[in-house]
């Protein structure tokens, strides 16, 4: 049986090697040594601070749960 494909291939968490601004909010500074969320966009990466990453992920989790509910309700 083939392994299921993931829609989350281009996402990872790492530690910033240098300071820079968050992609979502330019007022949020990611300092060297801070954790950050990296999301693949084309051939480059967008990098988000922890606060913006958590807000985005929580929103996306809700959307995915809605999709799962819709798919499960159509199975019956």
């Amino acid at each position: 049986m083939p392994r299921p494909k993931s829609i989350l291939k281009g996402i990872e968490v790492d530690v910033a090697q240098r300071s820079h601004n968050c992609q979502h909010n330019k007022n949020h500074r990611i300092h060297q040594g801070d954790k950050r969320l990296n999301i693949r966009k084309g051939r480059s990466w967008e990098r988000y601070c922890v606060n913006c990453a958590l807000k985005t992920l929580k929103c996306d989790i809700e959307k995915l749960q809605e999709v799962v509910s819709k798919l499960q309700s159509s199975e019956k």
Side-chain angles (χ1 to χ4, degrees):
M1 180 172 165
R3 183 175 36 165
K5 295 186 182 199
S6 174
I7 60 174
L8 301 176
K9 287 182 182 179
I11 188 170
E12 63 182 33
V13 175
D14 72 353
V15 175
Q17 298 298 310
R18 61 178 181 81
S19 296
H20 56 88
N21 292 334
C22 173
Q23 296 278 157
H24 180 71
N25 186 336
K26 300 299 180 193
N27 295 323
H28 293 173
R29 189 79 177 155
I30 301 170
H31 299 284
Q32 182 179 4
D34 288 351
K35 285 185 182 179
R36 65 184 179 183
L37 176 70
N38 300 324
I39 299 177
R40 177 70 95 182
K41 184 163 186 180
R43 295 192 314 181
S44 62
W45 293 91
E46 290 188 346
R47 304 185 190 310
Y48 300 92
C49 69
V50 171
N51 288 336
C52 291
L54 288 173
K55 288 178 187 175
T56 301
L57 290 171
K58 287 177 184 177
C59 181
D60 287 346
I61 288 169
E62 289 176 10
K63 289 178 186 176
L64 288 170
Q65 287 175 336
E66 289 176 17
V67 171
V68 168
S69 294
K70 287 180 183 179
L71 287 171
Q72 288 176 336
S73 66
S74 66
E75 285 181 1
K76 298 175 182 175

